[in-house]
Amino acid sequence: MDVTETKLSLGPLLFNWDKDKARDFYFAIADEAPVDIVHVGEVVCSKRMPFQDWLADVIDRLERGGKKVILSTLILIMNDREERAMKDIAADADHLVEANDLAAISALRGRPHAIGPFINIYNEASLKYFEDGGAERITLPFELPKPSLEMLARAARAELEVQVFGRLPLAISARCYHARSHNLHKDNCQYVCGKDADGRAVDTLDGQHFLAINGLQTLSHSYVNLIRELDEMAHMGIGSFRLSPHDTDMLKVCRIFRDRMDGALDGDAAVAALEDTIITADFSNGYYHQKAGLKQVNP
C-alpha cells in the first residue's frame, strides 16, 4: 500500500471545551481540513454529553464538507443511564459507530461497526473474533510496537488505523482525578476539567513532566508523533492514520500530515513543521520502536 492511498482521520475530542469553541472547531474542520474521516461524540465522561447539543449541526456540516462521520461511544460504561445512551448511539443506522467498550461491542455485534483503540486487540485471534462480529474498521491500541502492527496487518481483513498524533489516552477510571485535584468530588465536579483545554499537567516530585489528566482519563504528557513512520506503516498495510484533536492549530497539523502523505514533505521536514506549529509540546514515538513510550527515537 502506498502512503498516498491511506486515509487521514480526526479522532474524537477528548477534552471538555465549551460548546461554542467545540462547534466552531468542527465547523472549521468541515470546511478546511484535508481529512477523510471525523469521529464525533463524548468518549470520556457522560456528564459532558448534555452540553453537546451542537452535535447534529456539526455532523451535518462535516458531511456537507465531504467528511465521513463516525460516532464514538464512551470508553467506560458504569451505570444504566450510560448504557442507554450507548444503545441509542449504537442504534443509529445512518452512521458507522465506533465501540470503545465491550458493552458497545455487544450492542453492535452482527452489523458493520468500528472499534476504537481502547479495546485490547493484541493478536490475530482477537482480531479475527472482532472482525467476525462485524468490525470493518479497527484503531489499534496505542502501545503496540512495529512488529505487532506488522503481524496484525498481515492477518487483517478490516481496515486498520493507528494514532499518529496527540497525547495518548493511557487509562480511564471511575474516579475523577481532575475533580480531586481541585478538592472536589466527582458528583460535584463543577466541570473543572473545562479549565484545561489539553488536560492538566502532572509532574513528578522533582519537577519532571510526567502525565496529564483529563477528567476520568490519564494521558501521556508528550504527544505521539509518527509522521516519520507513515511510509513504513502504509507499506505494512495500515490503511488509516488518526490525529487526536488538541488546542492548537489543528488545521495546520492536518495539512502537514496530508502534505507528508502526498509526498510534498519528507519526514524530517514534516517533523520540523510540527515543531514550529506546536512549540510547547514534547514529541514521542517510543512505543512504536519498542522503547519506553515517552522516548523520541529518530529512525
Side-chain angles (χ1 to χ4, degrees):
M1 180 183 294
D2 188 271
V3 72
T4 59
E5 300 174 359
T6 56
K7 298 172 185 172
L8 187 62
S9 84
L10 191 71
L13 176 63
L14 302 179
F15 306 103
N16 186 22
W17 295 355
D18 70 66
K19 63 180 183 180
D20 290 338
K21 177 177 179 177
R23 182 197 59 213
D24 292 347
F25 167 76
Y26 279 111
F27 282 179
I29 292 295
D31 297 343
E32 302 178 56
V35 298
D36 305 294
I37 299 164
V38 180
H39 301 74
V40 298
E42 180 57 47
V43 302
V44 176
C45 179
S46 64
K47 291 182 68 176
R48 303 174 184 174
M49 295 174 79
F51 300 100
Q52 293 192 338
D53 55 359
W54 42 262
L55 200 55
D57 291 338
V58 159
I59 291 172
D60 178 67
R61 183 78 162 259
L62 287 166
E63 290 179 334
R64 285 191 284 117
K67 275 65 173 176
K68 178 181 177 65
V69 173
I70 296 178
L71 307 181
S72 295
T73 60
L74 287 169
I75 302 168
L76 183 62
I77 298 172
M78 296 180 285
N79 55 49
D80 291 341
R81 175 177 56 82
E82 293 174 352
E83 184 180 14
R84 287 193 299 271
M86 175 274 293
K87 288 182 176 178
D88 287 343
I89 297 170
D92 189 309
D94 297 325
H95 299 92
L96 197 67
V97 177
E98 179 183 75
N100 288 306
D101 178 274
L102 288 177
I105 293 285
S106 179
L108 291 164
R109 193 165 179 82
R111 54 173 277 203
H113 60 274
I115 292 179
F118 309 97
I119 304 292
N120 292 336
I121 298 177
Y122 295 142
N123 56 55
E124 298 100 320
S126 57
L127 176 69
K128 183 177 184 300
Y129 172 81
F130 291 115
E131 288 176 329
D132 290 346
E136 62 181 34
R137 176 179 167 80
I138 296 172
T139 305
L140 294 170
F142 312 105
E143 66 271 24
L144 290 182
K146 174 184 172 183
S148 296
L149 296 177
E150 290 175 321
M151 174 265 295
L152 290 170
R154 284 194 299 269
R157 304 192 310 270
E159 180 179 61
L160 299 185
E161 179 176 80
V162 171
Q163 181 177 329
V164 295
F165 173 83
R167 280 184 163 157
L168 295 179
L170 302 175
I172 192 80
S173 171
R175 297 178 180 272
C176 182
Y177 301 120
H178 224 127
R180 292 291 293 171
S181 71
H182 288 270
N183 296 314
L184 296 168
H185 295 289
K186 179 182 177 182
D187 291 340
N188 185 33
C189 65
Q190 300 177 32
Y191 300 96
V192 290
C193 54
K195 296 181 178 181
D196 300 293
D198 282 328
R200 183 170 186 176
V202 177
D203 293 345
T204 63
L205 291 176
D206 56 359
Q208 294 184 355
H209 298 315
F210 183 42
L211 297 169
I213 55 172
N214 167 43
L216 312 177
Q217 194 173 56
T218 303
L219 307 114
S220 63
H221 163 74
S222 61
Y223 289 37
V224 69
N225 177 11
L226 296 178
I227 201 165
R228 276 196 181 99
E229 291 82 0
L230 297 186
D231 286 319
E232 192 169 55
M233 286 190 286
H235 294 150
M236 291 179 200
I238 304 299
S240 183
F241 302 125
R242 176 182 291 211
L243 314 178
S244 187
H246 285 276
D247 188 29
T248 187
D249 189 346
M250 284 303 300
L251 292 176
K252 187 172 182 181
V253 171
C254 293
R255 292 183 188 116
I256 293 169
F257 272 87
R258 178 59 70 186
D259 285 345
R260 172 78 174 109
M261 293 165 65
D262 290 345
L265 291 175
D266 64 20
D268 290 340
V271 169
L274 286 175
E275 289 174 341
D276 289 343
T277 302
I278 315 171
I279 58 174
T280 59
D282 295 326
F283 290 141
S284 60
N285 61 5
Y287 282 136
Y288 181 88
H289 294 283
Q290 303 182 75
K291 307 291 185 183
L294 54 76
K295 298 292 185 182
Q296 175 64 35
V297 178
N298 294 323

